[in-house]
Amino acid sequence: MFNYNNKTFRSISNSDNGEVSSETIFHYYQEGEILTAQYSGGEIVKGHLIGKVDQNGMINMRYHHINQEGELMTGKCISTPERLENGKIRLNESWEWTSGDLSKGKSMIEEE
C-alpha cells in the first residue's frame, strides 16, 4: 500500500516541454483517497495539485502553477508508483498541458 502523506518528492527527469526540474520540490499530503500537494522551485514560482489515489497507489491528478514568466499553467497527470530498493517511492508520470500548447510529456519524481 502506498501512502503519500507528509512525503517530499523531487523531479529526476522530465520531457523538454515540461517546466518541472530537479529544482522543483513537491510536498504531498493525503487524507484517505484525496491527495494534495504544493510545489515550487526552478521555473515554478508556486503550484498546487489535487488528485485521487486508487487502491494500487496510482494517482489521477490535476495541477496548476505560476511560472517565472508569470503565466498560469494547468494540466493533468497520471502517476504510477513503484517502490525502490531503499523503500522510497518513485512516481512515473504521464502528463498533459490543458493550457498553452496542450502538449504531452513524461516525468519521474522520487521521494527524498
Side-chain angles (χ1 to χ4, degrees):
M1 186 69 178
F2 291 91
N3 187 314
Y4 302 103
N5 194 45
N6 290 318
K7 297 202 180 291
T8 301
F9 292 84
R10 181 184 297 267
S11 175
I12 60 169
S13 69
N14 198 1
S15 301
D16 289 340
N17 57 329
E19 295 188 338
V20 167
S21 70
S22 62
E23 298 173 297
T24 311
I25 305 294
F26 295 81
H27 300 281
Y28 276 51
Y29 306 96
Q30 184 177 349
E31 294 179 32
E33 66 179 9
I34 299 172
L35 178 86
T36 60
Q38 299 176 8
Y39 60 100
S40 62
E43 290 296 310
I44 312 298
V45 175
K46 188 167 188 77
H48 301 97
L49 64 83
I50 189 164
K52 289 183 70 177
V53 180
D54 74 11
Q55 66 275 10
N56 298 315
M58 186 176 293
I59 308 165
N60 182 349
M61 70 176 81
R62 304 295 181 267
Y63 59 87
H64 61 257
H65 65 250
I66 302 287
N67 63 23
Q68 292 289 350
E69 287 75 43
E71 298 169 307
L72 174 61
M73 302 297 291
T74 62
K76 58 186 178 179
C77 179
I78 299 291
S79 294
T80 304
E82 66 177 293
R83 183 83 57 192
L84 301 175
E85 287 184 14
N86 63 7
K88 298 204 175 198
I89 300 169
R90 174 185 292 158
L91 291 170
N92 299 289
E93 304 180 313
S94 295
W95 53 264
E96 181 178 350
W97 291 115
T98 56
S99 64
D101 67 5
L102 308 179
S103 62
K104 297 179 181 182
K106 299 220 178 271
S107 55
M108 193 178 303
I109 64 173
E110 283 188 2
E111 182 181 353
E112 291 201 301

